Amino acid sequence: MTTSLRAIRRDLRGIMLTGTLLVVVTAWGVAALAHALGLPWGPAWVLGAAVAPTDATAVGVVSRLLPRRNVTLLRAESLINDGTALVVYSLAVGVTVGSEHLGAAHVSGLMALSYGGGIAAGAVVAWLGIQLRRRVRVLGDTLLDNLTIILLPFSAYLVAEQVEASGVLAVVVCGLVMSQAGPSLGRAAARRQTEAFWSLAMYLLNGALFVLVGLEAQAAVRQLSGTTLTQALLLVAAVYGALVVVRFLFLFISVYAIRALDRRPRQRKRRMGHRARVVSALAGFRGGRLPRAGAVRALHRRLGHCVPRPRHHRLRHRGRRRSHPRGAGADPPGHRPLGPTAPRPGDRT
């Protein structure tokens, strides 16, 4: 609702490159670094897919500090790159557990389903929403009109998820269509109420989201000892450096490649200076958006048997198995637990 569709259309080529190809290149770079530091390829690719897309929430926090064109490019990129990141994530998890295979036709089909299905779902829900709001406007009920506006993005997301497409893209398309058609559908009182509601709702949602990220970080740190905590912090710093370096190189290399291929005068007018490009390279923030948080939380559920467990966890489990005699309810020979074990009496919960 706050993004200019005209500005997106003007820089559509650059937005599509950063929203698709840059995500794949970033995921590959992070995965290669994580694998070089000792992580298996499957979890390494999942890590790369989780941190590759930028976050519109983090960009919006510093939007007043950046030039307008940079903010538009970063917001538009962060709104479409989840479709690519979730495809990479699903492929990484599927290949690791043996339920997916890598092939040009298969990967192309997943990308087409993610983007095409998400765009179609968002457009259909937006068209239905326009028809519904026209009928609600006749009633003159401001609350009912705003209730319809609130339900539209959730409806678009659920419809896209039912066909295994990108729910984020569905919400983006639905929001862009409604932002263009909204002024001719609603009354002035409804628009004032909508702006006030979304300003407060976004503030509360962003605050709650970062609080949840802080709680998750605290829970993760508690499970690490001094040595592993130091290694984890070094890994975080290395991954962050890889994100910045890959994004910096991609933005400069892609720009010079486009200039070499496209010599039209119109293209020369759209060129950005080196300072603005450096700002875009450093302002590709990775925040705590919900799809990424869900992808990381699903890593333990889907790849729990592929991720090496800490040594102290295995030793404690072995000692507990020796203390129980073989009998009813005992584990069969060769049994290997796939999930976290139940706490013993006296353990900290």
Side-chain angles (χ1 to χ4, degrees):
M1 295 178 64
T2 59
T3 304
S4 172
L5 187 59
R6 181 180 301 176
I8 292 177
R9 189 184 301 113
R10 181 183 58 189
D11 295 312
L12 183 60
R13 181 170 55 187
I15 293 172
M16 293 302 299
L17 285 175
T18 55
T20 55
L21 185 58
L22 177 57
V23 175
V24 177
V25 173
T26 304
W28 172 81
V30 173
L33 174 64
H35 181 69
L37 295 177
L39 198 64
W41 273 116
W45 269 103
V46 176
L47 174 63
V51 300
T54 55
D55 188 5
T57 303
V59 173
V61 173
V62 294
S63 59
R64 297 180 180 179
L65 306 177
L66 301 177
R68 186 177 184 85
R69 187 178 181 185
N70 289 85
V71 174
T72 301
L73 292 173
L74 291 171
R75 279 182 172 175
E77 173 193 352
S78 61
L79 290 176
I80 68 171
N81 54 18
D82 267 322
T84 306
L86 292 178
V87 170
V88 176
Y89 165 78
S90 62
L91 284 174
V93 175
V95 171
T96 304
V97 301
S99 61
E100 291 283 356
H101 65 280
L102 292 178
H106 181 62
V107 175
S108 300
L110 289 178
M111 292 291 293
L113 177 61
S114 178
Y115 278 89
I119 293 174
V124 170
V125 173
W127 182 82
L128 294 175
I130 291 174
Q131 306 305 317
L132 181 59
R133 289 193 63 188
R134 286 176 178 173
R135 287 161 175 78
V136 170
R137 182 181 181 181
V138 178
L139 302 177
D141 192 340
T142 302
L143 291 177
L144 186 58
D145 189 14
N146 278 283
L147 180 61
T148 304
I149 296 174
I150 295 172
L151 293 178
L152 284 177
F154 295 98
S155 302
Y157 187 89
L158 292 176
V159 170
E161 287 294 315
Q162 290 299 317
V163 298
E164 299 183 356
S166 174
V168 177
L169 279 176
V171 176
V172 170
V173 172
C174 180
L176 289 175
V177 175
M178 295 305 301
S179 66
Q180 299 297 314
S184 62
L185 296 176
R187 300 177 183 273
R191 287 196 296 270
R192 289 197 300 268
Q193 191 177 69
T194 300
E195 294 175 357
F197 169 79
W198 281 115
S199 298
L200 179 60
M202 289 302 298
Y203 183 83
L204 295 177
L205 287 174
N206 292 336
L209 179 59
F210 285 104
V211 168
L212 292 176
V213 171
L215 294 177
E216 290 290 332
Q218 183 184 17
V221 171
R222 281 183 175 180
Q223 300 176 3
L224 301 177
S225 62
T227 304
T228 54
L229 178 59
T230 303
Q231 294 175 354
L233 293 177
L234 292 176
L235 178 61
V236 170
V239 170
Y240 175 75
L243 291 173
V244 174
V245 171
V246 171
R247 183 177 179 85
F248 194 92
L249 292 177
F250 181 88
L251 289 181
F252 277 85
I253 293 175
S254 62
V255 165
Y256 285 111
I258 292 175
R259 289 182 180 180
L261 298 175
D262 191 353
R263 295 287 185 175
R264 295 178 301 171
R266 183 185 304 177
Q267 170 62 28
R268 295 180 180 179
K269 294 180 180 179
R270 291 201 298 258
R271 291 180 179 178
M272 298 175 59
H274 293 300
R275 293 183 179 180
R277 196 168 296 110
V278 170
V279 170
S280 297
L282 297 177
F285 301 108
R286 271 73 180 178
R289 75 168 51 175
L290 291 177
R292 182 179 300 119
V296 175
R297 292 179 65 87
L299 172 62
H300 177 72
R301 296 197 304 268
R302 297 292 300 277
L303 298 178
H305 63 289
C306 298
V307 180
R309 298 186 180 280
R311 181 175 177 81
H312 66 83
H313 180 89
R314 297 196 297 269
L315 292 177
R316 192 176 72 176
H317 180 72
R318 290 173 184 172
R320 189 162 62 252
R321 286 187 60 184
R322 287 197 299 268
S323 62
H324 290 279
R326 181 71 62 187
D331 293 337
H335 173 74
R336 181 184 181 186
L338 300 182
T341 57
R344 298 180 299 173
D347 285 351
R348 291 182 61 183
T349 58

